[in-house]
Amino acid sequence: MSGLLLGTPAYTKCMLDKKAKEKIIEKFKTHDQDTGSAQVQIAILTAEIKDLTDHLKMHKKDFSSRRGLLRKVNERRKLLRYMLREMPKEHAKLAEKAQDLAT
């Protein structure tokens, strides 16, 4: 209730809903049954990082969410290093898609 008194909503969306996640999977999947490839995981983590960043701009003292954000950033960084090492062509394609997504 105190969130209403401060002029901010009591609940802010920090996690992706099912439809948003399915949309990301559809865009970045490598084959029809793909739900967990590195490309899909990186895309989902990127969207979650963006949401958490927006949340933390409003709630500067939410340290548990900040810890979650750092965990997601590190996980994405590890996956990107893995892709660069093991699948350089796919890494380049993913970087290109990410540029299109950002603009």
Side-chain angles (χ1 to χ4, degrees), residues 25-87:
I25 290 171
E26 187 65 34
K27 182 170 184 167
F28 287 93
K29 67 182 179 180
T30 57
H31 54 82
D32 289 339
Q33 299 297 318
D34 184 15
T35 58
S37 67
Q39 293 92 325
V40 171
Q41 290 181 52
I42 290 168
I44 290 172
L45 283 169
T46 301
E48 289 175 345
I49 288 168
K50 185 177 177 184
D51 285 349
L52 271 173
T53 302
D54 293 341
H55 170 79
L56 288 170
K57 285 179 183 175
M58 272 182 29
H59 305 281
K60 295 184 187 322
K61 294 187 178 184
D62 187 355
F63 297 110
S64 59
S65 292
R66 188 172 312 277
R67 181 177 181 270
L69 173 67
L70 291 174
R71 185 188 165 285
K72 289 178 189 295
V73 168
N74 285 327
E75 184 67 27
R76 182 180 65 174
R77 183 175 46 85
K78 289 176 192 176
L79 284 167
L80 284 168
R81 273 198 333 233
Y82 164 77
M83 279 193 67
L84 186 60
R85 183 179 66 241
E86 299 293 329
M87 305 177 277

